[in-house]
Amino acid sequence: MADEFIKGLGILTGSGLAWLVLASWYRTSSFESTQQLIEPLSSGATEGLFNIIAVTLMDVFLWFALLGALTFWVLIPAGHQIMSALEERRNAQ
Amino acid sequence: MSLERKDDYDHKAWMKKKDLTPVEATFLTTLIWLDKRLRIVDYLELLETLYYRVNLQMPKSHTEQYNLDNKFWYWYPLYTLGLFSTLAYVVAAISGALLGFYYSPATTGDPTTAYSSIEFIMRDLQFGFMLRSVHRWAAQVMVAAVFLHMLRVYFTGSYKEPRELNWLLGIVLISLTMVFGYTGYLLPWDQLAYWAGQIGVEMSLSVPLAGEWVAQLLFGGFSLSQSTLQRMYIIHVFLLPFVVTTLIAIHIGIVWVQGIAEPH
Amino acid sequence: MSDNEPENEEIRSDGAGIVAPDDETPTWSERKARKTGLSRLTYEYFERARREDQDLRTESDYVERDVLAFPTWPHETVRNLSIASFFVGMILFLSATMPPHIGNPANPSSTPAIILPDWYLYWSFGLLKLNPLNPELAILGGQKLMADRTYGVLANGVVVGFIAIVPFLNKGSARRPVEQPFWSAVGVFGVVFAMTISLLAIKNLMPMNVDLLFDLTFLLPFVFGTITYAVLKTMREGYMYNLNRRYYRLRPPK
């Protein structure tokens, strides 16, 4: 269980940090904005190869953080629980 | 018969006999030189005795008892937040000392000298923009790490006997950390700083009974002025560093003496 | 020890070994006997504590060894160095990628729309906005007992004071959250409350109804606390079930 915990934490924090940096570059107009990190893309974000790569990576990192944490903290432990429950039922019969 | 003093224990001949590497020879020469003057062998012996008295017999740690050696590593991020906040404190201290070379706490002029010195640091000073950034982020990281550290201690029940005193000390430390952050927040003397200071004055005036004294002591009056900035500056760069560093040392010292409350 | 050495060279534990051993030197117990009052009590307690330590050492689950746990070198040192450089690198990374800005210079004559402290003081700032909860006394003709701001400042003291006395309220040897569902629920309540009260502090930045926000501020902590309690209680019963199962296999209930 501990293995899954640290894997999920590592993915969430690492990937989340990368998303945070990119979102602060491309989706934050000012420090007084009420929609920091979730604004529409700033102008010029789709010009040039590097900007396009960065904007794509921003979404990739966000989903990787969310799905990674979900997988390691919920899906895999739940799978283990189900497997052990089935095993027990089989043994009991 | 020569006039040269006889040495009963001829360390030099002994060293020659031993065929030492240069490192060993330098080490031994230094050790002997110091020991002849300061008797450090006595103190080393005392330390060694203490070490063995303390360590020879200890209860099994929980990681040993429950065979958690492997698992402990996975939880390690949660158990290293104290180190993390200490490190951030050190980084903030170093960058803060460098910033202190260029900052001056004065509300004279328009914009004020304090504000202009921050502008100078950010715009003209070589590496100054990064320096301010490092100081600010180190402070943010320190506060965040201290908060998370407290949560970890709470949820693993590490504050229980015999560690109640360290928990109380930790509460003093987290409060002082926030005072550190608050006083530093006021130093640039921009709009945010000024009005945050205004709230601070009003809050301290609202303290029952002692309100006016508190406002006088911390803010140097009932409205913001030069003396407010001056006091914030002295609290931030002189008073708190001494107090907080001492308390952190005691806090860590107590952990050292009592041992880490390991998970089980 | 060779034969020609005198026999009184063995280690003395009566405290008389440090000064010259002549007949005038009082032993430790003699010194204790001479004392009265607090110093006498101190000596007596030390003796008891020393005896307790000795008893503990002779218990069976104590092991004799040279070092405490992990070797300092290389294990602990390498781990600490790598973690330290990783952390410092992270601080530098953050400051390089997301540098702070500086606002307009201070202007006492124009109050800005947004007045905020740093994020870690939002909870304290939020406690100043509890005006609707400040009790009104009927005796004073509906007047409030104290000014709203005084009430908020005192609320700070209550929060910090409660956190401070936690070790004196929650005793016992339970460590894991699952072993102490109630106190874990209190902890989750506190964390969620810190977050909601922080959001209340920045209510003019929040894109939602202020009254709803105020209600949620006090509702959500209870909701999350209750959920935590229920989940941990269930988990604990699961643990107990696993422990008991072996017992019931040996002695099935009739």
Side-chain angles (χ1 to χ4, degrees), chain C residues 208-222:
Chain C
M208 65 187 292
N209 185 322
V210 174
D211 291 328
L212 177 65
L213 181 63
F214 190 84
D215 294 342
L216 281 182
T217 300
F218 298 95
L219 185 63
L220 283 183
F222 282 105

Side-chain angles (χ1 to χ4, degrees), chain B residues 22-38:
Chain B
V23 176
E24 289 169 334
T26 319
F27 171 75
L28 263 186
T29 314
T30 320
L31 184 71
I32 293 167
W33 193 88
L34 284 176
D35 186 52
K36 278 196 172 159
R37 284 151 184 85
L38 303 172

Side-chain angles (χ1 to χ4, degrees), chain C residues 178-231:
Chain C
V178 73
E179 291 170 348
Q180 36 180 358
F182 174 73
W183 282 97
S184 306
V186 171
V188 169
F189 173 90
V191 173
V192 175
F193 182 64
M195 287 178 183
T196 53
I197 197 85
S198 300
L199 291 183
L200 183 69
I202 51 170
K203 58 185 173 188
N204 43 5
L205 293 181
M206 291 291 293
M208 65 187 292
N209 185 322
V210 174
D211 291 328
L212 177 65
L213 181 63
F214 190 84
D215 294 342
L216 281 182
T217 300
F218 298 95
L219 185 63
L220 283 183
F222 282 105
V223 171
F224 280 93
T226 314
I227 291 175
T228 310
Y229 183 77
V231 167

